[in-house]
Amino acid sequence: MAPTKAVVADDHLALPAGGKNTPLTNTIPISNVQTDIYGLEIWEGTLPIIDLGGLHGPRHSDTIKQLGHACQHYGGFMLKNHGISERLLNDIMSKAREFFHLPEEERMKLYSPDLTSLIRLATGFKDDNQNVFVSRESLKFHCHPIENYVNLWPTNPPSYREVVSEYCVAAKRAEITLLEAVFEGLGMERKSIDQILDNHGQYASLNYYPTCEKSNLGLTFGLRGHTDPTILTMLLPDEVPGLEILQNGDWVPVKPIPNTLIVNVGDVLQGLSNCRYKSLLHRVIVNSEKERLSIASYCYPSNDTQMGPPKELIDDDHPLIYKDYTYEEFYTTMWKQRLLDATRLDAFKVSAA
């Protein structure tokens, strides 16, 4: 029985992964793309489209600049040619659907209210203060390095561990390539880059948003507006719309593009960049007709990594905004304050900022 309706990688190079000789098809209608003042292709007026393959050839410098503009002016982008095969994208989405269609008692074996659990199923809830329902079921788990965590994962549905492991490794490979490029565009020195890349983790979630009765749509969200406490988040959505981003004070829907990931800047990157890049406020809405699934990969530093902006990013035009702090301090403060957006970082601002 599916969930009921809501009532009220070690390699630093993103190369094709998850299947040999499997072409990745990115069919993007030209009529849906505009060009902005920075020369970026913008998908339906929402987010720029970045071709990660451009890093491996004569367009490397241009791609670095495009990434910088996307992070600075949009807080995220659509990522094509990311190196994850179409076969693997389909496999992980199918496996997620199989999991959420297991009997409820089978899924609930993984339920835990412990936020520090290495794997846990989180379910929907009612926020009595705001009088809204949050209608999402999410399997959250650590996944880097894979060998440390895979034995904690479910064995039902069949091949779950194999498919999810393969996807997480491929996503991590793309993630590292992307981080290298983003940090290069910021002007970070090699030492500063290695401090982050040599001490980072990966957390993933399979997300299920059930359909909602029409009469309850006004009081039900898949996720309320929030930013992510990450460096970057990479999202693989299915074909059902639901993600919205805040642009110029309005919530704007982001329509999925087949075989394309949605990447958003997280709070940690906002801090590392000394606020040159802003984390992206986003939410998920539900609908009354189709269930929706997504797979998210979250990149975050190790607990003891110093997260203040590197000295090479500070000058007269960019005075220091955030002091040094560890990711553990940031994460602990976030849960104490229960804030949903980048105001979590305010506790780490220098007094003169």
Side-chain angles (χ1 to χ4, degrees):
M1 181 181 72
T4 55
K5 283 190 175 185
V7 181
V8 169
D10 296 323
D11 188 354
H12 283 209
L13 183 65
L15 299 174
K20 296 181 179 179
N21 302 319
T22 306
L24 187 62
T25 305
N26 290 103
T27 304
I28 303 175
I30 298 300
S31 59
N32 296 66
V33 177
Q34 301 87 35
T35 302
D36 74 355
I37 60 174
Y38 308 103
L40 296 173
E41 293 184 336
I42 309 301
W43 172 245
E44 295 202 333
T46 56
L47 292 173
I49 300 169
I50 299 294
D51 182 355
L52 195 63
L55 293 173
H56 312 305
R59 295 188 292 116
H60 178 89
S61 295
D62 289 339
T63 304
I64 294 292
K65 291 178 182 177
Q66 289 174 354
L67 276 168
H69 286 312
C71 291
Q72 183 173 356
H73 300 288
Y74 295 89
F77 46 89
M78 316 290 284
L79 188 69
K80 67 177 185 178
N81 294 328
H82 39 67
I84 307 175
S85 73
E86 185 171 1
R87 189 271 303 169
L88 185 51
L89 297 177
N90 291 333
D91 284 355
I92 185 66
M93 193 61 71
S94 295
K95 199 56 62 177
R97 198 175 303 276
E98 285 181 49
F99 174 80
F100 289 112
H101 283 208
L102 289 172
E104 183 176 9
E105 59 269 23
E106 181 71 17
R107 303 192 313 275
M108 289 301 290
K109 291 177 182 178
L110 295 164
Y111 173 80
S112 173
D114 182 3
L115 299 176
T116 65
S117 178
L118 297 178
I119 179 169
R120 68 184 184 96
L121 182 73
T123 56
F125 61 93
K126 182 181 179 182
D127 184 331
D128 290 320
N129 291 328
Q130 298 186 16
N131 193 31
V132 296
F133 289 87
V134 176
S135 178
R136 179 181 75 153
E137 197 167 299
S138 181
L139 184 63
K140 304 168 181 285
F141 51 95
H142 291 266
C143 49
H144 179 75
I146 287 288
E147 59 271 17
N148 288 2
Y149 304 108
V150 66
N151 290 331
L152 301 173
W153 300 354
T155 55
N156 191 16
S159 303
Y160 175 93
R161 291 181 177 181
E162 292 80 2
V163 172
V164 175
S165 293
E166 187 179 4
Y167 179 79
C168 288
V169 169
K172 173 55 66 176
R173 184 181 295 116
E175 204 171 74
I176 292 175
T177 300
L178 193 54
L179 287 172
E180 287 264 11
V182 168
F183 292 157
E184 179 183 337
L186 273 172
M188 288 173 58
E189 296 176 356
R190 187 71 249 173
K191 181 180 178 181
S192 300
I193 295 174
D194 288 342
Q195 180 184 359
I196 304 300
L197 295 185
D198 292 346
N199 298 282
H200 72 289
Q202 182 187 18
Y203 189 71
S205 66
L206 311 183
N207 309 301
Y208 179 88
Y209 303 93
T211 56
C212 176
E213 297 290 351
K214 282 187 177 180
S215 60
N216 293 320
L217 285 175
L219 296 174
T220 306
F221 289 92
L223 277 175
R224 291 169 294 176
H226 68 286
T227 58
D228 292 339
T230 61
I231 305 175
L232 290 173
T233 300
M234 294 200 317
L235 184 77
L236 171 65
D238 69 3
E239 73 284 357
V240 181
L243 176 67
E244 295 187 339
I245 60 175
L246 192 66
Q247 283 189 336
N248 301 317
D250 295 320
W251 288 106
V252 180
V254 180
K255 183 179 178 182
I257 303 174
N259 304 321
T260 302
L261 303 174
I262 302 173
V263 180
N264 65 266
V265 172
D267 297 338
V268 174
L269 183 53
Q270 177 172 321
L272 275 173
S273 70
N274 202 41
C275 225
R276 296 186 196 187
Y277 300 164
K278 302 290 181 62
S279 53
L280 183 64
L281 194 63
H282 56 286
R283 70 180 187 182
V284 177
I285 59 170
V286 294
N287 71 84
S288 61
E289 299 177 357
K290 287 186 176 182
E291 64 183 18
R292 179 178 179 270
L293 289 101
S294 68
I295 292 96
S297 176
Y298 310 94
C299 181
Y300 61 92
S302 63
N303 281 345
D304 59 353
T305 300
Q306 289 293 323
M307 299 311 304
K311 65 181 187 313
E312 59 267 26
L313 300 188
I314 309 304
D315 55 34
D316 291 341
D317 294 326
H318 304 92
L320 183 66
I321 294 176
Y322 300 109
K323 60 185 179 182
D324 281 339
Y325 58 96
T326 65
Y327 184 70
E328 184 174 25
E329 290 172 328
F330 167 73
Y331 199 77
T332 300
T333 300
M334 177 185 76
W335 283 112
K336 282 182 178 178
Q337 295 178 336
R338 295 286 178 174
L339 298 172
L340 295 177
D341 60 22
T343 53
R344 303 160 178 155
L345 288 168
D346 288 354
F348 305 102
K349 285 187 173 181
V350 298
S351 56

